[in-house]
């Protein structure tokens, strides 16, 4: 059986991770400076190569864990990139993933231990190879998923204000939202639990904190509920 493949071309298979975070005001992208040639010293997505013993999801999780120290974060396979000359060293096909990380909980370990840096999308530098195209695809997918699923909560702390939630959706969709309509639509879904706690940093009166009720969401989905913002 092996001999039947001996004349076939061999190509490398890589995984690249587009990692999004949110800092209460802006949607951001986590980048690293490439420390080897080609393109040494330039900004890059986090990536690595598939090992023989892995499936793609395992490779992406390994790359994410190795370069960020993080496990158990939202991650989704995005798209395959296979232009012949995308990597000048050797023919390489890359399968891109996007991940969502709460910056507040993980910022120190990411930036200090792995020399990574968060960039707002407006200030994102030019990236190596076709990584800019990967980011564009990831933003498009993130917007679609956020409009139809509650994945945006992965970018927020466990307890958040309604203002933080609105700012998140405005950052993802890059548009201002009417406060009254947004709050009415979110409340109508009945997926948030209002806590007896307030965030006192925004005003003297303070703002109530909320939590996303994941169990209630799962029950609603089983009953035919459709999440739509």
């Amino acid at each position: 059986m092996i001999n039947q493949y001996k004349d076939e071309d061999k190509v490398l298979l890589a995984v690249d991770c587009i990692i999004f975070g949110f800092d209460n005001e802006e949607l951001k992208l986590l980048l690293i400076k490439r420390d080897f040639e080609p393109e040494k010293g330039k900004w890059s997505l986090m990536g690595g190569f598939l090992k023989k013993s892995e499936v793609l999801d395992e490779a992406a999780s390994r790359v994410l864990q190795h370069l960020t120290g993080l496990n158990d974060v939202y991650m989704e396979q995005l798209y395959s990139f296979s232009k012949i000359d995308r990597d000048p060293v050797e023919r390489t096909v890359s399968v891109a993933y996007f991940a969502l990380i709460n910056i507040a909980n993980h910022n120190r370990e990411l930036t200090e231990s792995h020399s990574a840096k968060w960039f707002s999308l407006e200030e994102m530098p030019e990236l190596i190879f076709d990584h800019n195209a990967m980011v564009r695809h990831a933003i498009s997918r993130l917007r679609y998923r956020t409009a139809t699923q509650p994945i945006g909560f992965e970018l927020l702390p466990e307890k958040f204000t309604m203002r933080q939630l609105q700012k998140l959706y405005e950052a993802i969709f890059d548009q201002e939202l009417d406060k009254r309509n947004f709050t009415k639509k979110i409340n109508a879904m009945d997926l948030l639990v209002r806590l007896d706690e307030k965030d006192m940093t925004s005003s003297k009166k303070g703002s109530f904190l909320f939590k996303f009720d994941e169990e209630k969401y799962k029950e609603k989905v089983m009953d035919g509920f459709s999440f739509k913002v």
Side-chain angles (χ1 to χ4, degrees), residues 97-109:
Y97 283 74
F98 81 90
L100 306 179
I101 290 176
N102 182 315
I103 293 179
N105 289 354
H106 304 294
N107 193 43
R108 179 174 296 179
E109 63 192 284

Side-chain angles (χ1 to χ4, degrees), residues 50-93:
L50 178 74
K51 297 182 181 297
K52 290 182 179 180
S53 61
E54 296 175 318
V55 297
L56 283 166
D57 287 358
E58 291 171 342
S61 295
R62 171 179 55 80
V63 167
L64 190 68
Q65 198 281 329
H66 174 69
L67 292 174
T68 68
L70 300 177
N71 291 305
D72 193 30
V73 299
Y74 181 92
M75 186 166 59
E76 178 181 329
Q77 189 177 127
L78 177 65
Y79 195 77
S80 297
F81 295 81
S82 61
K83 283 189 176 180
I84 294 174
D85 59 351
R86 61 171 302 276
D87 188 322
V89 176
E90 194 163 343
R91 179 72 199 279
T92 304
V93 173

Side-chain angles (χ1 to χ4, degrees), residues 4-227:
Q4 295 180 18
Y5 300 151
K6 65 183 178 66
D7 295 327
E8 300 299 329
D9 291 343
K10 305 298 189 296
V11 299
L12 293 173
L13 186 58
V15 293
D16 286 292
C17 297
I18 301 105
I19 303 172
F20 292 113
F22 179 65
D23 68 353
N24 293 331
E25 294 292 336
E26 293 181 304
L27 186 65
K28 293 192 172 183
L29 181 70
L30 189 66
L31 302 174
I32 58 172
K33 272 197 173 180
R34 190 171 167 93
D35 59 2
F36 58 91
E37 296 293 352
E39 309 286 5
K40 183 177 180 179
K42 294 187 178 180
W43 290 102
S44 167
L45 297 172
M46 297 180 176
F49 290 97
L50 178 74
K51 297 182 181 297
K52 290 182 179 180
S53 61
E54 296 175 318
V55 297
L56 283 166
D57 287 358
E58 291 171 342
S61 295
R62 171 179 55 80
V63 167
L64 190 68
Q65 198 281 329
H66 174 69
L67 292 174
T68 68
L70 300 177
N71 291 305
D72 193 30
V73 299
Y74 181 92
M75 186 166 59
E76 178 181 329
Q77 189 177 127
L78 177 65
Y79 195 77
S80 297
F81 295 81
S82 61
K83 283 189 176 180
I84 294 174
D85 59 351
R86 61 171 302 276
D87 188 322
V89 176
E90 194 163 343
R91 179 72 199 279
T92 304
V93 173
S94 178
V95 178
Y97 283 74
F98 81 90
L100 306 179
I101 290 176
N102 182 315
I103 293 179
N105 289 354
H106 304 294
N107 193 43
R108 179 174 296 179
E109 63 192 284
L110 290 170
T111 56
E112 291 185 2
S113 301
H114 303 283
S115 300
K117 183 177 179 181
W118 290 103
F119 287 89
S120 67
L121 297 184
E122 291 77 17
E123 299 174 351
M124 185 184 79
E126 190 70 22
L127 305 181
I128 66 168
F129 305 159
D130 50 2
H131 288 191
N132 286 81
M134 292 182 182
V135 173
R136 290 194 295 272
H137 273 273
I139 293 171
S140 178
R141 177 73 64 83
L142 174 61
R143 287 174 176 169
Y144 172 74
R145 286 281 184 261
T146 303
T148 57
Q149 297 177 18
I151 67 169
F153 293 100
E154 302 286 346
L155 292 163
L156 291 172
E158 183 181 5
K159 302 174 183 179
F160 52 86
T161 65
M162 191 64 72
R163 181 183 184 277
Q164 285 176 305
L165 183 60
Q166 181 175 336
K167 282 289 186 181
L168 170 67
Y169 276 87
E170 288 179 337
I172 291 174
F173 292 107
D174 192 26
Q175 65 180 35
E176 289 188 14
L177 300 173
D178 179 78
K179 179 181 177 180
R180 182 176 297 178
N181 288 339
F182 178 81
T183 302
K184 182 179 180 181
K185 186 176 291 187
I186 291 295
N187 286 335
M189 292 185 193
D190 190 29
L191 294 174
L192 300 186
V193 177
R194 195 177 85 165
L195 306 175
D196 293 327
E197 303 175 47
K198 284 189 173 183
D199 172 18
M200 303 303 297
T201 60
S202 58
S203 67
K204 291 182 179 180
K205 186 179 179 181
S207 301
F208 278 106
L209 291 168
F210 295 83
K211 290 178 68 174
F212 174 64
D213 193 332
E214 187 172 0
E215 290 304 315
K216 181 179 284 188
Y217 170 69
K218 290 178 180 178
E219 292 174 2
K220 282 177 172 284
V221 169
M222 290 180 65
D223 292 334
F225 171 77
S226 178
F227 184 94

